[in-house]
Structure formats: structure tokens, C-alpha cells
Amino acid sequence: DQQVKQNSPSLSVQEGRISILNCDYTNSMFDYFLWYKKYPAEGPTFLISISSIKDKNEDGRFTVFLNKSAKHLSLHIVPSQPGDSAVYFCAASGRGGATNKLIFGTGTLLAVQP
Amino acid sequence: SAVISQKPSRDICQRGTSLTIQCQVDSQVTMMFWYRQQPGQSLTLIATANQGSEATYESGFVIDKFPISRPNLTFSTLTVSNMSPEDSSIYLCSVEGGGWNSGANVLTFGAGSRLTVL
């Protein structure tokens, strides 16, 4: 039972354009949602997060949107840069942001073309 | 945030053997987490390791297969025992301490250990 789903295994975008990565979840008890970025041969690094009481969180070029009614969140990167090329994981956790209960999606490989 | 070193970074192992992965953190941490990422799959939590107590395993993972040691607040090991090709995965060590963001406690990950079992 995949509670966090990233249905697009890959995405290709031109440099300067917007990248939109999507994530769906099934558990309405999730309170916190996080995005991690992973380069080859490196561990995932935290990118941005959002709590369920918000519908948007922005940090520079990165914005995460949360639609609780649809159980859907998305990560927008604008403008996209070649250095953004990586695997992006969506993750969710329950009440209190308990890290030991982080549920990850399968990841989306983003390729930003120069 | 903490800096995590994992060894080995990769290895090729024979079926039936065991391999121990080491995780060293540059600061003292209460909990350390071991994750697995099988090919094409998501990161899955194997167990949580607290210093001075037995590790807590998630559903589907058992101590006999994945024994964990946590001798102090900066170090942990995960052993993958009696390996089969299905154990071919990236194994990742992680700790809390990347900071709090929007109320969520952030995990910091090591670079991972890629194991291939023949």
C-alpha cells in the first residue's frame, strides 16, 4: 500500500522554464510534507516542507503547494537551472512531524536541459 | 546540520554472506535511522537505533536479518545477514538535526551504501 505516490518517474524541462513535480497521498492523518533532492552517489538533502495548516510555502525558486481536499502537493521550481537536475522525493509524516515515521514516494527524476 | 559518513560506499557481495555498514556522525545524536532504497522503490525505514537500547524495527524487518549496533551517540552499524539478490539496495543512515522547518523535524542523510548481491 503506497501511501505517498509520485506517478511521474521522470520529467524533462528546458532551462529557465518552470518545473512542476507532483505528489499524491492517501492518509488524511499526515500533517507535514517534505521534499528532498538527491544527486547521484549522495544522500537525499532536505529542500522545503509545508505543514497541513498551510497551502503554500515559498523559499527562493522553490514553492510547495498543498491541496488537502485533493490530497495532493506539488513542488514548483522557477526558473529551472541545470543544477536542479536530480531525483526529487516527496515525503509525509504524521502528527508532531515525527521523523521516524516519514513515508517517502518513489521519486521523480528531473532533467533540466540547457 | 550533522555530517554523516558511511562506509562502504558500495560493495559487491556473494549470496549467503553478511556485510556490516558503518555510520559515523560528527555530533552526538539521540536517534539514528536506517533506511533502504531498493531499485525503483521509495526509501523505506528499516529501524530506529537509540544508544543504550535495542533498535526498534519496522514491520517487515527483523533483528536476525538486520542486526544493528549503537555503541555510542555518534556511531551505528547495520548488518545485512545471509544476503540474497533481493537485498541489493542502497542502505542509508540518517539522523535528526537538519533543523525544523514548517513544524517538521528534518532528517539528514548519509551518502548511502550501494550493495549488489550476486
Side-chain angles (χ1 to χ4, degrees):
Chain A
D1 177 26
Q2 192 72 25
Q3 295 187 66
V4 177
K5 301 176 185 179
Q6 293 176 259
N7 292 319
S8 297
S10 63
L11 175 68
S12 182
V13 173
Q14 285 296 120
E15 181 178 6
R17 306 293 292 269
I18 185 171
S19 296
I20 300 176
L21 297 102
N22 293 304
C23 178
D24 296 292
Y25 62 96
T26 58
N27 190 338
S28 59
M29 298 301 291
F30 286 143
D31 274 350
Y32 298 94
F33 304 90
L34 304 88
W35 285 93
Y36 281 80
K37 179 171 71 174
K38 184 182 186 300
Y39 292 118
E42 296 184 13
T45 56
F46 170 75
L47 189 56
I48 192 170
S49 68
I50 189 168
S51 77
S52 59
I53 63 173
K54 293 187 174 182
D55 55 18
K56 177 183 175 181
N57 188 27
E58 189 173 357
D59 184 2
R61 296 185 297 114
F62 302 92
T63 302
V64 56
F65 295 92
L66 175 62
N67 183 335
K68 285 186 64 180
S69 60
K71 294 190 179 66
H72 176 83
L73 67 155
S74 61
L75 173 68
H76 292 209
I77 307 172
V78 56
S80 301
Q81 299 173 354
D84 295 328
S85 298
V87 177
Y88 289 79
F89 290 97
C90 171
S93 69
R95 190 175 303 278
T99 51
N100 61 332
K101 296 302 180 186
L102 269 183
I103 308 296
F104 284 86
T106 52
T108 297
L109 174 61
L110 173 66
V112 180
Q113 308 297 334
Chain B
S1 58
V3 176
I4 301 174
S5 301
Q6 267 189 252
K7 290 192 296 187
S9 58
R10 59 176 60 232
D11 208 340
I12 299 174
C13 309
Q14 295 299 317
R15 182 194 298 261
T17 63
S18 299
L19 183 79
T20 295
I21 302 167
Q22 299 180 5
C23 178
Q24 179 74 52
V25 188
D26 69 343
S27 58
Q28 294 184 340
V29 293
T30 304
M31 290 192 289
M32 297 176 76
F33 308 97
W34 286 98
Y35 280 82
R36 178 178 76 178
Q37 185 188 11
Q38 292 178 301
Q41 303 297 312
S42 60
L43 282 74
T44 303
L45 181 65
I46 298 172
T48 302
N50 289 327
Q51 194 270 333
S53 63
E54 283 202 4
T56 303
Y57 289 82
E58 296 299 307
S59 175
F61 298 96
V62 295
I63 188 171
D64 289 347
K65 177 67 176 176
F66 298 101
I68 288 172
S69 78
R70 184 77 202 276
N72 57 52
L73 290 172
T74 63
F75 187 79
S76 178
T77 67
L78 170 77
T79 299
V80 186
S81 304
N82 188 24
M83 286 184 284
S84 67
E86 292 71 34
D87 295 317
S88 297
S89 295
I90 300 174
Y91 293 85
L92 298 129
C93 170
S94 68
V95 302
E96 293 176 329
W100 285 85
N101 185 286
S102 297
N105 203 348
V106 173
L107 284 180
T108 298
F109 285 87
S113 300
R114 181 184 292 271
L115 302 188
T116 302
V117 184
L118 302 178

